[in-house]
Amino acid sequence: QVQLVESGGGLVQAGDSLRLSCAASGRTFSIYKMGWFRQFPGKEREFVAAITWSGGTTDYADSVKGRFTISRDNAKNTVYLQANSLKPEDTAAYYCAASTGWATYYDRQYDYWGQGTQVTVSS
């Protein structure tokens, strides 16, 4: 089992930045990929960004490309999502996910999920 705990969400103004963190524990050696998803009220979760646990290969949704950066610190078993130039439409619950196999864009590809952290961007 892998446990994931997100932190770093909050209320910010448009144009501000936030750094979300996702701390992994448990069988972290089994992780192949980490991802960030977000969920708007009444909507399905959508892919935001992903990174391979070991090699650092990254993928981004077009909606956040150039504004968000995913990174990882293997020594701390932590993945980060640096969110810059935030917009009101970025307001959502953000979830961290871990996969033990190949995964990128679809939430069904991930095996473990955190509890989520709320990001609210005011205009």
Side-chain angles (χ1 to χ4, degrees):
Q1 295 288 322
V2 174
Q3 294 78 42
L4 303 172
V5 179
E6 302 101 331
S7 61
L11 172 63
V12 297
Q13 294 187 329
D16 286 350
S17 298
L18 276 176
R19 188 176 79 158
L20 306 183
S21 299
C22 174
S25 60
R27 297 170 62 89
T28 57
F29 61 86
S30 68
I31 297 174
Y32 173 72
K33 200 141 189 190
M34 297 288 291
W36 284 96
F37 286 75
R38 63 187 181 184
Q39 189 168 25
F40 305 109
K43 302 287 187 180
E44 300 285 323
R45 276 185 297 211
E46 71 171 32
F47 171 76
V48 175
I51 188 167
T52 52
W53 189 246
S54 60
T57 303
T58 58
D59 294 277
Y60 294 94
D62 288 343
S63 58
V64 305
K65 202 171 291 183
R67 298 189 298 124
F68 290 14
T69 302
I70 189 170
S71 63
R72 87 269 185 260
D73 184 333
N74 292 92
K76 296 182 178 179
N77 287 336
T78 299
V79 171
Y80 304 98
L81 184 69
Q82 178 67 42
N84 297 331
S85 302
L86 283 161
K87 306 175 182 179
E89 51 263 42
D90 293 317
T91 295
Y94 283 72
Y95 294 89
C96 173
S99 171
T100 58
W102 186 90
T104 303
Y105 304 114
Y106 302 105
D107 57 2
R108 64 179 181 269
Q109 297 171 319
Y110 292 80
D111 304 293
Y112 303 100
W113 291 85
Q115 81 288 351
T117 186
Q118 179 67 34
V119 172
T120 303
V121 185
S122 64
S123 57

